[in-house]
């Protein structure tokens, strides 16, 4: 039995023009853009909250906001950045926009489910943020919501937090199901798995993690809400409960969640680098196997977050070893990216600058990660600013840098216009300097014992905290060129043409922006998505030099 | 200005495609999507099981509180659910064979069995000597069985809807019966979860000797062990399911491995 593509059937009913971005559209490209714009809005809110945190920490005393407010801000910041910015953007936005192109399909496998998954996000986000104003007190227990803290802080805010995380988790699971079905089942006839662009593999791996681990978080949060509402004692030691079980269940989701945030970014970088280096992606097969190895290993390392939770020695040993093993596939990917760049005709445009900075930051965060996996070291720095520095190097320096790189790379696809390179490079420089200024000193602070999640600290730490706050200010300023660039270009940017980067992956083999069904004619069968320079007749490289994009801003 | 005319794409390694349908209509993957969702749903249960086993292994029962489960009622319920899986299977076979009224009859039998299960569950709830908040194990018991009961309730509703749709002139016919297959897949899943649940809640503590020691050993290490076990159980289940619906969408062309043939020689019976 075959089903007609619903997007096609309902095309007549779908609103056209800008209104479609506010509608229950079934077109995967519209949904992708919806995720992207919505994610950026939440990013700005989360960023403003980060500004509050860094302002407070610019001085040792709690003098900018009250301590309770500080805790609320910190919790909202973490939750928004993870569940409403990075996860929806690297998965939802780029995944939805690109995956159907990459598998040669006209849409995702379940377009209606796709739209439902997106439309769960704005209400959940608004619910979460409104708890700050309506419920009187937003959740104060951090993005981890550890009991008994989450049982003793104001209940209304915590319940709203749980509700919105459940909605977002549901959205994520629906998205994951859709990606798995699309990659495995919707491939164009004749297209083999090992011919897919790397982003497909990354999304497949991510979605497997989403489907296996997110439900565990949902179940855990349901039990937690029982503890709060019905006064059961699952996680309440006062009632005979067990807090460590919460931590196990929580990290069974939340360690895979860090890969849910970073694996798609790996995939996106693997798409961007070959195009701008004019070379095939190095080590395709090893890339695929390392993604899958990361998926498997990522599911069995969660207790490295719990080395100080009374974890028995055999468990510490197991999780240290398993965690250290993840460095192997991660290292393989790192060297593959370097080898892709090696000897290439690299166009140093904003997309590439952000991608290279990603490689740099990610290696740094990976090294501190492996250090944290060693029990003796972790006991010293657990719950200090060292951990904060580690995961910001990975989540911001990794995933967010890749989001920016992808924005520069695919903006011409989304809109048909090229972003301005000068503004792009200004954005890159400010972000890169601001980011490192903000987070590098936090390693030092953590090593010296400054605990995380506090509004006040020992005055001995003042100088480096102020440096860090200056860095945060630079990061805030760095969004200005980005916003200006995006708005000005959308209004009057240079027309990009269909394929400004002369790329070979299927999303470029159509108009920019693409028509509703992706290709006017038949979907192309691209068996060599990275065939740069490999097939002599495949493309004309004679007019290409490493500087052309750099100097003129267009091809 | 139409930039499309001036822009020439590079010639990539694109092969001509003739057999491809130009409008993106494709095979029906909804059952696959449902199965993926059920894997996710199963992981929720796996989390609850892991929590229960860990509580059992490390948290002592508080002084003066009781946690003693019944044996007879859950065992009867298990048998009821197992039979209902079989009757649902018969309904599916009848439907695919074009005997819709017979299929409806089997569906009604399944509904009755599901309702009987729920009734039994209620009787058990009201006869047990402990309540939701009495102790840790009691809370987990109610959370687990309650969550499963919700699934059964939803299943019963789905079966009734499907039964209605299988009326003459209804949505479900011998050739187009996604709703029925989806409900069947879901019902088998809920059934399978119950078997695990029954084993863990009602049997694990009772069985003595070797099984108990083994089990206790594994519960002490339950979280990592359960992760692995549940993963393999669900992947095994998944293989079975994929085989199952392959059989249902294309009757008579079932490819079955020798192991399955060994235990279940003729699936159409
Ligand atoms: C080489 C791979 C990695 C290793 C070995 C590693 C190791 C660790 C360890 C041991 C901790 C716990 C530190 C503590 O609380 O004492 C930790 C925390 C963390 N890691 Fe990583 N990590 C790695 C990669 C990543 C990636 C890829 C991400 C995200 C994309 C990430 C995000 C986080 C976060 C968010 C935390 C802090 C969680 C919290 O307590 O709030 N890590 N990491
Ligand atoms: Cu981790």
């Amino acid at each position: 039995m075959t089903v007609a593509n619903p997007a096609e059937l309902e095309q007549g009913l779908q609103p056209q023009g800008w209104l479609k971005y506010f509608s229950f559209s079934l077109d995967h490209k519209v949904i992708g853009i919806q995720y992207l714009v919505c994610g950026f809005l939440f990013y700005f809110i989360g960023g403003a909250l980060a500004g509050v945190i860094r302002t407070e920490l610019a001085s040792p005393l709690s003098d900018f906001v009250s301590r309770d407010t500080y805790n609320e801000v910190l919790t909202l910041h973490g939750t928004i950045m993870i569940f409403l910015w990075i996860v929806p953007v690297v998965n939802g936005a780029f995944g939805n926009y690109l995956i159907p192109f990459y598998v040669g399909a006209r849409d995702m496998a379940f377009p209606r489910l796709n739209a439902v998954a997106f439309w769960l996000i704005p209400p959940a986000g608004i619910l979460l943020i409104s708890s700050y104003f309506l419920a009187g007190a937003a959740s104060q227990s951090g993005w981890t919501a550890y009991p008994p803290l989450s049982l003793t802080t104001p209940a209304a805010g915590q319940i709203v937090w749980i509700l919105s995380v459940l909605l977002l988790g549901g959205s994520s699971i629906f998205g994951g199901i859709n990606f798995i079905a699309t990659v495995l089942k919707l491939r164009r006839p004749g297209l083999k798995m090992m011919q897919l662009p790397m982003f497909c593999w990354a999304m497949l791996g991510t979605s497997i993690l989403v489907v296996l681990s997110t439900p565990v978080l949902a179940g855990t949060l349901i039990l937690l809400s029982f503890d709060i509402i019905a006064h059961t004692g699952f996680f309440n030691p006062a009632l005979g409960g067990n807090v460590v079980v919460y931590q196990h269940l929580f990290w069974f989701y939340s360690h895979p969640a860090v890969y849910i945030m970073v694996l798609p970014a790996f995939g996106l970088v693997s798409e961007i680098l070959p195009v701008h280096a004019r070379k095939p992606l190095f080590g395709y097969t090893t890339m695929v196997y390392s993604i899958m190895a990361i998926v498997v290993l990522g599911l069995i390392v969660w207790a490295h977050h719990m080395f100080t939770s009374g974890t028995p020695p055999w468990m510490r040993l197991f999780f240290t070893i398993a965690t250290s093993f993840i460095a192997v596939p991660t290292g393989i990917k790192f060297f593959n990216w370097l080898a892709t760049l090696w000897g290439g005709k690299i166009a140093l445009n904003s997309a590439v600058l952000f991608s290279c900075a990603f490689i740099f930051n990610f290696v740094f965060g990976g090294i501190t990660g492996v250090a944290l996996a060693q029990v003796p070291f972790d006991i010293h720095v657990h719950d200090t600013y060292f951990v904060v520095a580690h995961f910001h190097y990975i989540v911001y320096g990794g995933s967010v840098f890749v989001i920016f790189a992808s924005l520069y790379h695919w903006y011409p696809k989304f809109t048909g216009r090229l972003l301005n390179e000068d503004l792009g490079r200004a954005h890159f420089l400010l972000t890169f300097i601001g980011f490192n200024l903000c987070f590098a000193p936090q390693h030092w602070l953590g090593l010296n014992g400054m605990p995380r999640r506090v509004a006040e600290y020992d005055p001995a730490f003042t100088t480096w905290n102020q440096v860090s706050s200056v860095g945060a200010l630079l990061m805030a300023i760095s969004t200005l060129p980005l916003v200006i660039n995006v708005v000005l270009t959308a209004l009057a940017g240079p027309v990009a043409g269909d394929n400004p980067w002369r790329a070979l992956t299927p999303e470029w083999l159509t108009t920019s922006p693409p028509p509703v069904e992706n290709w006017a004619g038949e979907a192309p069968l691209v068996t060599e998505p990275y065939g740069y320079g490999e097939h002599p007749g495949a493309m004309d490289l004679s007019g290409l030099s490493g500087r052309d994009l750099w100097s003129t801003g267009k091809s | 200005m139409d930039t499309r005319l001036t822009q020439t794409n590079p010639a990539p390694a694109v092969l001509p495609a003739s057999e491809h349908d130009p409008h993106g209509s494709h095979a029906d993957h909804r059952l696959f999507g449902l199965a993926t969702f059920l894997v996710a749903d199963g992981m929720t249960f796996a989390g609850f099981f892991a929590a229960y086993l860990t509580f059992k292994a490390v948290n002592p029962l508080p002084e003066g509180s009781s946690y003693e489960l019944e044996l007879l009622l859950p065992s009867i319920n298990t048998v009821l659910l197992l039979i209902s899986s079989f009757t649902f299977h018969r309904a599916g076979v009848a439907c695919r064979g074009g005997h819709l009224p017979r299929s409806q009859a089997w569906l009604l039998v399944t509904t009755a069995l599901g309702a009987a299960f729920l009734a039994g569950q209620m009787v058990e709830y009201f006869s047990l000597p402990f309540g939701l908040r009495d102790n840790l194990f009691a809370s987990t018991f109610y959370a687990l069985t309650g969550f499963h009961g919700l699934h059964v309730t939803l299943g019963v509703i789905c079966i009734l809807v499907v039964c209605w749709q299988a009326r003459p002139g209804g949505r479900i016919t011998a050739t187009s019966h996604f709703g029925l297959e989806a409900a069947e897949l879901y019902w088998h899943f809920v059934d399978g979860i119950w078997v695990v649940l029954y084993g863990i809640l009602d049997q694990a503590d009772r069985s003595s000797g070797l099984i108990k020691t083994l089990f206790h050993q594994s519960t002490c290490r339950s979280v990592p062990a359960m992760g692995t076990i549940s993963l393999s159980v669900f992947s095994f289940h998944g293989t079975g399911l994929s085989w199952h619906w392959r059989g249902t969408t294309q009757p008579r062309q079932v490819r079955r491995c020798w192991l399955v043939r060994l235990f279940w020689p003729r699936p159409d019976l």
Side-chain angles (χ1 to χ4, degrees), chain A residues 150-420:
Chain A
S150 47
L151 304 176
T152 52
T153 43
Q158 194 62 49
I159 288 295
V160 174
W161 183 90
I162 290 176
L163 213 63
S164 84
V165 173
L166 285 179
L167 287 176
L168 295 168
S171 156
S172 184
I173 293 175
F174 291 156
I177 292 173
N178 224 333
F179 287 126
I180 293 180
T182 308
V183 173
L184 292 184
K185 296 283 181 181
L186 231 57
R187 261 168 302 129
R188 183 197 184 301
L191 186 60
K192 299 197 179 64
M193 286 297 280
M194 290 307 269
Q195 295 167 337
L196 289 175
M198 192 53 60
F199 184 57
C200 294
W201 283 100
M203 283 310 299
L204 181 64
T206 310
S207 303
I208 292 174
L209 286 177
V210 166
V211 165
L212 290 180
S213 65
T214 317
V216 177
L217 175 74
T220 316
L221 292 184
I222 290 173
L223 293 186
L224 185 67
S225 62
F226 269 109
D227 276 4
I228 295 173
I229 299 173
H231 303 289
T232 50
F234 297 109
F235 307 128
N236 191 347
L239 298 175
N242 189 330
V243 287
V244 176
V245 170
Y246 177 89
Q247 297 187 8
H248 275 300
L249 295 174
F250 178 83
W251 289 114
F252 183 81
Y253 164 73
S254 290
H255 180 80
V258 308
Y259 286 99
I260 293 169
M261 291 188 269
V262 91
L263 270 182
F266 289 174
L268 292 169
V269 161
S270 308
E271 300 307 330
I272 296 173
L273 290 180
V275 174
H276 298 282
R278 311 314 294 172
K279 272 186 65 195
L281 182 68
F282 188 90
Y284 181 97
T285 319
T286 55
M287 280 294 208
V288 170
Y289 283 115
S290 13
I291 289 177
M292 288 307 154
I294 287 178
V295 169
V296 175
L297 286 173
L299 283 168
I300 52 166
V301 297
W302 70 88
H304 63 217
H305 295 272
M306 304 168 53
F307 285 146
T308 59
S309 306
T311 314
W314 69 267
M315 219 191 237
R316 285 178 164 181
L317 189 67
F318 174 83
F319 282 101
T320 289
I321 295 174
T323 307
S324 307
F325 261 110
I326 289 207
V328 176
T330 316
I332 291 176
K333 300 178 74 67
F334 165 70
F335 285 112
N336 280 345
W337 291 321
L338 289 192
T340 304
L341 287 173
W342 193 267
K345 291 190 168 188
I346 302 171
L348 265 184
N349 51 31
S350 313
V352 173
L353 288 173
F354 271 109
S355 303
C356 292
F358 151 81
I359 298 180
F360 175 84
N361 298 334
F362 183 77
V363 164
F364 203 87
I367 291 173
T368 54
V370 177
L372 284 171
Q374 315 308 315
V375 178
F377 181 75
D378 184 69
I379 289 175
H380 180 65
V381 296
H382 173 69
D383 254 344
T384 69
Y385 259 83
F386 192 88
V387 176
V388 177
H390 156 69
F391 70 73
H392 280 93
Y393 259 81
I394 298 221
V395 181
Y396 197 103
S399 305
V400 179
F401 269 62
V402 170
I403 294 175
F404 290 147
S406 309
L407 193 67
Y408 287 98
H409 183 76
W410 278 290
Y411 193 85
K413 179 63 7 196
F414 300 158
T415 65
R417 292 173 190 277
L418 271 173
L419 285 169
N420 182 291

Side-chain angles (χ1 to χ4, degrees), chain B residues 11-85:
Chain B
V14 177
L15 305 177
S18 46
E19 76 279 34
H20 194 48
D21 179 338
H23 279 296
S25 52
H26 52 76
D28 186 352
H29 300 304
R30 285 175 296 176
L31 272 178
F32 178 82
L34 176 66
T36 320
F37 176 78
L38 292 181
V39 171
D41 203 12
M43 286 306 292
T44 322
F45 279 104
F48 285 156
F49 291 149
Y52 180 80
L53 291 174
T54 317
F55 287 151
K56 272 288 207 187
V58 288
N59 287 61
L61 187 65
E63 284 291 320
S65 53
S66 74
Y67 179 68
E68 190 66 42
L69 292 175
E70 297 197 14
L71 184 58
L72 183 62
L73 212 52
S75 307
I76 297 177
N77 262 349
T78 310
V79 176
L80 287 183
L81 266 198
L82 284 177
I83 298 176
S84 78
S85 246

Side-chain angles (χ1 to χ4, degrees), chain A residues 10-32:
Chain A
E10 296 194 2
Q11 202 183 318
L13 300 175
Q14 296 280 317
Q16 304 295 317
W18 60 270
L19 252 182
K20 68 180 176 216
Y21 293 107
F22 294 89
S23 74
F24 192 78
S25 173
L26 303 184
D27 183 342
H28 70 99
K29 300 181 286 301
V30 175
I31 295 178

